Amino acid sequence: MLLTLACGSILFPGFFVLGAWGLHQVLPQWPVIDCLTFSNRVVSSIQAVLASSSGIIVVLSCTDIITCRHWLAREYVWVLIPYMIYDLGAMYICYWYRNRGEDKKHSLAIFRNFLKHDRLMLIHHIFILIVLVPIAQVIRGERGDFFVGCIFTAEFSTPFVSMARILILWKKQHTFAYKLNGFLTLGTFFFCRILVFPFMYWSYGQQKGLNLLQTPFHIPFLCNVINAILISPQLYWFALLCRKAAQMFDTSQGKKDS
C-alpha cells in the first residue's frame, strides 16, 4: 500500500512537470499554458490506460461477481488516491496560468473563480476520495471486486477526451482526425461511463436469476444511491459531448452547403 501510494505520488506529478518542461524546451513558441494543458492531458491518458486495463483484467477474472477476488481491485485504488490529489492541483495550476493577472500572483478571487468554473469536476474528485475510496477499501469487505473493476473501465474514454483537447492545441479541430476522435469519444463514453451501470445490474441479475428491472430492488439501497450519484455527472457530460458533436456536424454541413 505505502509503496503504491509513494509511486503514484511521484509518477503523476513527475510526468506532469517533466512533460510541460520538455515541451517548453522543444517548442519554445508554445505558451506555457499550452504546455501545461498538453502535459496534463497526457498524464490523464496514462492513468486512464492503467485504470481501464486493471478494470478489464479484474472483470474478466471474476467468475463469481460477488465473491471472486483480484489483487488489482484493491491495489489500484491506492494509485487513484495520489492521482486524484495530483489532478486537483494540476487543474488549479492550469486555471491559474490561464487567468492570472499581470502581477502573476495567486489570489483568493482566482481560487474562488476556479471553484465555480470546475465545481462539478472538483465534486467528482472529492467524492471519489472521501466516499468511494473508503467503500472500496474498507466498507465492502471481501466482496465486490467485479464491480470495482467495472468502475475502473469507465476510464477507457478518457484518452479520447484528452486527444480532443490536444488536437485543438494543434489547431486540428477542423480535420477528419478530430471528427473521428469525436465519434470515438462519444462511443467509448456511452459504453464505458453510462452502459457500465446497467451492465453491472444485469450481471448481478444473471447470477441471482433476476431480470434487469428486478435487480435494483434486490440489492442494498445504498448501492442504488451511489450508482445514481456516479452516473448523474456522466449523463451531464455525455449531453455536453453530444451538443459539441451536433455543433461540429452543423458546422461541417454548413461548409458543404456554402
Side-chain angles (χ1 to χ4, degrees), residues 179 245-258:
K179 295 174 183 177
Q247 290 173 349
M248 180 178 65
F249 179 80
D250 290 342
T251 302
S252 302
Q253 190 64 38
K255 287 183 179 179
K256 289 181 180 180
D257 293 340
S258 60

Side-chain angles (χ1 to χ4, degrees), residues 217-249:
F217 302 101
H218 289 79
I219 64 175
F221 177 72
L222 182 60
C223 294
N224 289 320
V225 172
I226 291 174
N227 284 334
I229 293 173
L230 285 174
I231 198 173
S232 295
Q234 312 305 329
L235 292 171
Y236 172 75
W237 287 322
F238 184 69
L240 292 181
L241 288 174
C242 289
R243 187 183 304 172
K244 288 182 180 179
Q247 290 173 349
M248 180 178 65
F249 179 80

Side-chain angles (χ1 to χ4, degrees), residues 5-58:
L5 284 170
C7 289
S9 300
I10 296 171
L11 176 70
F12 299 120
F15 274 167
F16 176 63
V17 172
L18 286 176
W21 177 82
L23 271 174
H24 190 60
Q25 297 302 310
V26 174
L27 300 170
Q29 71 275 18
W30 266 31
V32 173
I33 181 56
D34 287 353
C35 296
L36 291 171
T37 301
F38 186 99
S39 183
N40 186 35
R41 294 295 180 174
V42 170
V43 174
S44 296
S45 297
I46 292 172
Q47 190 282 139
V49 170
L50 293 175
S52 55
S53 300
S54 300
I56 291 171
I57 291 171
V58 172

Side-chain angles (χ1 to χ4, degrees), residues 51-136:
S52 55
S53 300
S54 300
I56 291 171
I57 291 171
V58 172
V59 169
L60 293 180
S61 348
C62 291
T63 53
D64 186 301
I65 67 170
I66 304 297
T67 60
C68 269
R69 306 301 313 282
H70 195 287
W71 65 272
L72 274 173
R74 194 170 296 275
E75 195 65 23
Y76 195 77
V77 176
W78 299 123
V79 179
L80 281 178
I81 294 173
Y83 171 74
M84 289 296 169
I85 296 172
Y86 145 78
D87 201 39
L88 288 171
M91 285 166 57
Y92 176 70
I93 290 172
C94 291
Y95 184 86
W96 175 74
Y97 260 94
R98 190 176 295 111
N99 298 278
R100 61 182 178 168
E102 293 182 358
D103 57 359
K104 298 182 180 180
K105 292 182 179 180
H106 297 275
S107 69
L108 186 58
I110 291 179
F111 185 69
R112 285 175 177 171
N113 290 335
F114 165 70
L115 295 180
K116 293 179 182 178
H117 182 267
D118 291 312
R119 60 184 177 275
L120 187 57
M121 188 63 73
L122 292 172
I123 293 171
H124 175 260
H125 280 42
I126 294 171
F127 180 81
I128 289 175
L129 287 171
I130 68 176
V131 177
L132 292 190
V133 167
I135 290 175

Side-chain angles (χ1 to χ4, degrees), residues 156-157 159-165 167-168 172-189 241 244-245 248-249 252:
F156 190 79
S157 64
F160 300 101
V161 176
S162 297
M163 180 56 69
R165 183 59 182 166
L167 288 171
I168 291 174
K172 302 293 185 181
Q173 60 265 44
H174 302 297
T175 63
F176 174 76
Y178 182 80
K179 295 174 183 177
L180 176 61
N181 184 75
F183 285 115
L184 291 173
T185 301
L186 282 175
T188 55
F189 198 101
L241 288 174
K244 288 182 180 179
M248 180 178 65
F249 179 80
S252 302

